[in-house]
Amino acid sequence: MLKSLFNWKVLLNLVVAIGIFVGLVWLTFRWLEYHTNHGQEIPVPNVVNKSIHDAVKILDDTGLEYDVDSANYDPKYRPFQVLMVYPAPGSRVKDGRTVTLKVNPRTWAPIAIPNVINKYSGLAFQRLDQVGLKIGDTIYEPSIQKDALLRILYKGNAVNPGTRIPRFSIIDVVVGSGPMRNISIPNVVGLTVKEARAVITKSMFEVGLVEHEDGSKDESDIIYYQDPASGDVRDQGMQIDLWASKKTPAELRGKIDQLNSIYRMKVDTSLPPVRYEEVHTEPSYEAPPVPAPAPRRETPKTEVPKTETPKPQTTTSKPAGQGTEKPKTSTTTPATGNTAKPAASTTTQQPAQKPKAKKVVVE
């Protein structure tokens, strides 16, 4: 067996096989050097702070490939400004190597508007702030949905939920301020159902029951009756019921009278209105006994006596020629020894004397 191994034919074949293997390895490395440009390196140019258009032109002239990656928007830098280069500027790379460029985008990354329509305004504002949207003007509009967010406006146009707009954009919101009061109901009799819907919606009411005479739902039917009647006042959002037919209102006079008896009831206003008075019952409390006042000791006052001067009596003398009246004297008859009373006596009137002042002695 050993003799067969050292046979010259075997050794020749072994040498040939080794030579072929070495040759293949040498050819492989040579091909790799040629394919990878071994020993040929290009320095990465410095394109930081340049615009993306200038950076791309420089890399194309150098023979390097590039890959643009948008970083988070930074308002401190210009839009489309190169912020970073990888590999770093000055590094030596092969010809055809891909260089990554971090570029400042034109604006903030777009985000989707959340669905906050018809939501309470407080929660809607909080949700919009969480996604990075800034609220500008708050516009209040009459609506039965008080304090609810009705619409979102971006640059003056209404946008739907899911629309993508730049982050930190300023939006305006429309919020309901409550229903309007005492709005006059429009007259839709004689219009088609389609036209009546438009008029009712424009007047800030809602379409309620729509009853077709023939049972169909043809929007071209003519309205011949409505409830409430035109001219009445209602609050915003109230429903208006409609009756429609292909006939004219003149042909449906009997039906209209029947509906009037149901929906246009007359109220008798001849009787006086009933007045309700509230009776307030106040609790009664017994007053506590009031103590009798203590007797007061009176000090007698000193009365100063008044002295009155009697008025002098003046007599008027009669003129001459008139007799002076003489006093009549009474005659006494000493028959029985008793003194008889005078029959008639004439007394001279004397002035009345006033009572004298009393003297008060103060002890």
Side-chain angles (χ1 to χ4, degrees), residues 46-347:
N46 187 6
V47 293
V48 177
N49 297 330
K50 295 183 179 296
S51 66
I52 184 63
H53 304 287
D54 297 338
V56 168
K57 185 178 180 180
I58 293 173
L59 292 176
D60 286 339
D61 295 340
T62 309
L64 297 175
E65 301 293 333
Y66 56 87
D67 184 15
V68 179
D69 185 11
S70 297
N72 293 330
Y73 177 73
D74 192 343
K76 296 186 299 183
Y77 301 100
R78 301 188 308 273
F80 304 119
Q81 180 180 352
V82 178
L83 304 179
M84 188 180 66
V85 178
Y86 180 80
S91 302
R92 302 185 67 86
V93 295
K94 300 284 186 179
D95 185 15
R97 171 71 182 273
T98 301
V99 178
T100 303
L101 304 176
K102 293 286 186 180
V103 180
N104 189 37
R106 180 176 58 183
T107 182
W108 298 100
I111 58 172
I113 297 177
N115 187 8
V116 292
I117 303 299
N118 299 330
K119 303 293 184 182
Y120 175 64
S121 58
L123 298 176
F125 292 170
Q126 183 178 3
R127 179 59 180 151
L128 292 172
D129 183 69
Q130 289 177 352
V131 299
L133 295 176
K134 301 298 181 181
I135 298 175
D137 295 335
T138 301
I139 304 171
Y140 290 93
E141 181 179 284
S143 174
I144 59 175
Q145 296 176 307
K146 186 177 181 180
D147 295 332
L149 195 145
L150 304 179
R151 293 189 304 277
I152 297 177
L153 305 178
Y154 177 63
K155 294 183 178 180
N157 298 322
V159 291
N160 297 324
T163 304
R164 301 184 67 85
I165 60 176
R167 191 179 182 184
F168 300 115
S169 297
I170 298 177
I171 60 175
D172 301 330
V173 293
V174 180
V175 179
S177 61
M180 293 182 64
R181 305 292 182 183
N182 301 328
I183 305 176
S184 179
I185 294 180
N187 184 13
V188 296
V189 175
L191 303 178
T192 62
V193 177
K194 184 177 180 181
E195 293 173 346
R197 290 182 186 275
V199 172
I200 291 173
T201 304
K202 186 177 180 180
S203 301
M204 293 182 289
F205 292 104
E206 293 184 2
V207 179
L209 173 67
V210 180
E211 182 176 344
H212 296 264
E213 185 192 16
D214 54 1
S216 64
K217 295 185 179 180
D218 191 358
E219 293 290 319
S220 63
D221 288 354
I222 304 298
I223 303 297
Y224 66 90
Y225 196 81
Q226 69 178 73
D227 182 65
S230 61
D232 293 351
V233 290
R234 294 291 189 274
D235 294 342
Q236 178 186 358
M238 295 294 293
Q239 292 185 348
I240 300 178
D241 297 336
L242 304 175
W243 282 260
S245 174
K246 297 186 181 303
K247 301 178 181 179
T248 61
E251 297 174 349
L252 299 169
R253 178 54 55 186
K255 181 66 174 179
I256 294 175
D257 293 340
Q258 181 181 358
L259 292 174
N260 283 331
S261 63
I262 299 174
Y263 298 99
R264 304 286 191 270
M265 293 184 298
K266 296 182 179 180
V267 180
D268 187 6
T269 58
S270 61
L271 298 177
V274 181
R275 298 181 60 185
Y276 299 92
E277 297 182 356
E278 296 183 359
V279 179
H280 299 279
T281 57
E282 298 182 357
S284 60
Y285 301 96
E286 295 183 357
V290 181
R296 300 175 63 183
R297 185 176 181 180
E298 297 182 356
T299 304
K301 299 180 179 179
T302 305
E303 296 183 2
V304 179
K306 298 181 179 180
T307 57
E308 296 182 0
T309 304
K311 297 180 180 180
Q313 186 176 1
T314 58
T315 57
T316 305
S317 60
K318 293 182 179 181
Q322 295 182 357
T324 304
E325 294 182 357
K326 295 181 180 181
K328 297 180 179 182
T329 57
S330 60
T331 58
T332 58
T333 306
T336 58
N338 295 332
T339 304
K341 294 181 180 180
S345 62
T346 304
T347 60

Side-chain angles (χ1 to χ4, degrees), residues 14-33:
L14 182 61
V15 171
V16 172
I18 293 173
I20 294 173
F21 176 75
V22 173
L24 292 175
V25 170
W26 181 81
L27 291 175
T28 301
F29 279 101
R30 293 294 297 177
W31 178 83
L32 289 174
E33 289 180 0

